[in-house]
Amino acid sequence: FLINKTYSEEKKKIQIDYISLENLYKKNFTQNDIIEYVNNNEDSLKTDFLDFTYVKIDPLNLVESNEYSEEYFKKIDSIDNDILNDLNIFEIEKKYNLKSEKIKNYLTKNKNNKLFEEIYLKRNNGLVQLIDKNDYFLLFQIDKIEKRLPNINDDFFKNKIKKQLIARE
């Protein structure tokens, strides 16, 4: 009995039928398909574009020394108090003789710039913020958040739309 059962298990044939799903999903979309999808889903596709100003604060640009001294941390505490007292970044910049940089229409895309990406992620936490980054402090102010559609010719946006179209099919 066992020999016959083992023999039939080893020698049995299985027939498998399959359906190729390759042809059931549309992969290539025309520009008109993309435009139509964008027009129908305009509100859900809008993204935040940021205008912000930021300063990297390290001992060299705050107290003109390479060391993390007590004076440096006192000034950092003072900057933190200025933020709590509703001073904007330009007033703080002037008060401590710092140099800021301004970025306009920033949209998170490729996540190459971790600094900008962190600012983008913290965009709703308040206008002026001070973040400890171990080697330096990051002071930034969100100047404007504008919710709008990205450019339809932007490759990143087009790929996002194509993925949504494929998922919808």
Side-chain angles (χ1 to χ4, degrees):
F1 170 77
L2 289 174
I3 293 172
N4 287 338
K5 183 173 172 128
T6 305
Y7 176 78
S8 63
E9 282 292 320
E10 289 177 1
K11 299 296 181 184
K12 72 180 174 182
K13 292 183 181 180
I14 300 174
Q15 182 178 352
I16 298 176
D17 293 327
Y18 67 93
I19 299 173
S20 174
L21 299 176
E22 194 76 22
N23 299 328
L24 295 177
Y25 291 103
K26 186 175 179 181
K27 289 183 184 174
N28 299 322
F29 297 97
T30 65
Q31 185 71 11
N32 288 337
D33 292 337
I34 294 171
I35 291 171
E36 181 183 340
Y37 183 79
V38 168
N39 289 338
N40 291 338
N41 299 292
E42 190 172 325
D43 289 337
S44 65
L45 294 172
K46 288 183 178 178
T47 24
D48 289 342
F49 284 80
L50 294 185
D51 290 354
F52 61 90
T53 308
Y54 75 98
V55 178
K56 283 184 177 180
I57 303 173
D58 58 21
L60 192 59
N61 67 2
L62 189 61
V63 293
E64 298 174 357
S65 168
N66 285 330
E67 296 181 22
Y68 293 90
S69 64
E70 188 175 326
E71 179 185 3
Y72 171 74
F73 288 107
K74 281 183 181 178
K75 285 193 175 185
I76 292 294
D77 287 340
S78 178
I79 290 172
D80 203 22
N81 288 336
D82 290 340
I83 292 170
L84 293 173
N85 290 329
D86 290 331
L87 262 64
N88 65 35
I89 196 168
F90 305 108
E91 294 167 329
I92 295 171
E93 176 184 16
K94 187 175 179 181
K95 183 176 179 180
Y96 297 98
N97 197 26
L98 299 169
K99 301 285 185 235
S100 66
E101 293 185 45
K102 193 168 194 65
I103 304 296
K104 290 189 171 277
N105 292 321
Y106 178 76
L107 172 66
T108 181
K109 283 186 189 177
N110 52 15
K111 307 202 186 321
N112 282 344
N113 191 326
K114 293 190 184 292
L115 185 71
F116 292 175
E117 186 62 27
E118 184 169 4
I119 292 171
Y120 190 85
L121 292 173
K122 294 182 181 282
R123 68 189 177 276
N124 296 321
N125 294 352
L127 293 178
V128 181
Q129 298 176 49
L130 182 67
I131 302 171
D132 184 358
K133 300 296 290 172
N134 292 335
D135 295 344
Y136 60 91
F137 280 84
L138 175 64
L139 174 68
F140 68 91
Q141 172 177 302
I142 305 297
D143 299 322
K144 183 171 85 171
I145 300 175
E146 186 177 353
K147 202 166 199 57
R148 66 176 193 241
L149 277 174
N151 185 349
I152 198 154
N153 295 320
D154 180 51
D155 289 336
F156 181 78
F157 185 61
K158 253 188 195 175
N159 289 336
K160 178 180 172 184
I161 298 301
K162 285 179 182 178
K163 286 178 185 174
Q164 289 179 2
L165 283 168
I166 289 170
R168 187 183 74 166
E169 289 292 319

